[in-house]
Amino acid sequence: GTLTKPAIGVLDLATGAASAVRDSSKSAHRAAPARVRCPRVIQGPGGTLPRYSQKEAVGQGWLYKINGRNYLELFVGFEQLTSDLMIVISSERVVVFGMIEGREKAVLTVGYTDLELARAVCQQDREMGGSFHLEIVMRSERREGLAAPPGIQRPQVRCDSQLVAESVSHTINYAKSQWEESRLTLPSEEEVE
């Protein structure tokens, strides 16, 4: 009796502790902890893991919201153009959008097959001074006749500063060149099989 009673007491303690841990892990009202920051961008230029950037994480969130969570379309860049316009640059396209009635609304979407180039443009105005725009040069639909050259469109989007317009145009042109390079790359033997 002197040895069995303490041993049974220790086993009862261990069983009770294990039951308490099990019951606390099954609790239905236990919620996951709140997210502290947006998920990081996992593929930067050249396929490297970039350091965390709140702006890029927010931009990637917008991209996945716009494209319906298509994770094959990779995030390249994001910028706030004006107080009501933003731009997301991905591995497949460029989307200029704004918030209308609490929802994102695309103002301009250009795939890289139609995009020629992007550039910053400064327009001088006597009353307001200079205004800065992002000009996206793109091919438009073919006109009648097969011999007719494709038309060129040059939509312009206003930017808050020259620095924003130049930075975004550089990012768009970089993404376009990466897209062309990937399109012209031969698939590896593993991808062919």
Side-chain angles (χ1 to χ4, degrees), residues 6 9 85 104-105 115:
L85 282 180
E104 66 278 353
K105 173 88 168 118
L115 180 74

Side-chain angles (χ1 to χ4, degrees), residues 53-74:
S53 164
Q54 179 70 25
K55 180 178 120 180
E56 289 185 356
V58 167
Q60 179 177 255
W62 279 116
L63 170 65
Y64 292 144
K65 200 174 210 184
I66 290 169
N67 74 7
R69 299 209 180 277
N70 175 8
Y71 296 115
L72 296 176
E73 186 174 1
L74 301 175

Side-chain angles (χ1 to χ4, degrees), residues 4 40 54 68 83 99-100 113 147 152 173 189:
T4 57
R40 73 177 306 125
Q54 179 70 25
S83 61
M99 294 299 292
I100 299 173
T113 53
I152 298 290
N173 292 330
E189 292 178 18

Side-chain angles (χ1 to χ4, degrees), residues 21-148:
V21 169
R22 183 188 68 225
D23 293 342
S24 69
S25 67
K26 287 184 178 179
S27 176
H29 65 276
R30 191 173 135 232
R35 190 176 285 279
V36 176
R37 64 183 194 184
C38 296
R40 73 177 306 125
V41 174
I42 59 166
Q43 186 171 1
T48 60
L49 178 66
R51 71 180 356 162
Y52 184 80
S53 164
Q54 179 70 25
K55 180 178 120 180
E56 289 185 356
V58 167
Q60 179 177 255
W62 279 116
L63 170 65
Y64 292 144
K65 200 174 210 184
I66 290 169
N67 74 7
R69 299 209 180 277
N70 175 8
Y71 296 115
L72 296 176
E73 186 174 1
L74 301 175
F75 172 80
V76 177
F78 170 76
E79 192 65 57
Q80 185 87 32
L81 299 175
T82 62
S83 61
D84 58 342
L85 282 180
M86 296 171 268
I87 188 167
V88 171
I89 304 157
S90 76
S91 59
E92 304 293 323
R93 60 190 163 158
V94 175
V95 181
V96 177
F97 68 99
M99 294 299 292
I100 299 173
E101 297 176 4
R103 294 186 49 101
E104 66 278 353
K105 173 88 168 118
V107 175
L108 177 67
T109 301
V110 182
Y112 293 127
T113 53
D114 297 327
L115 180 74
E116 289 291 322
L117 67 107
R119 62 181 166 211
V121 176
C122 177
Q123 296 178 343
Q124 295 296 331
D125 188 358
R126 290 184 187 176
E127 290 131 25
M128 297 182 63
S131 64
F132 305 100
H133 292 80
L134 171 67
E135 183 177 74
I136 298 175
V137 180
M138 55 191 247
R139 289 183 218 101
S140 62
E141 298 294 320
R142 286 194 174 270
R143 289 180 240 132
E144 67 273 347
L146 294 174

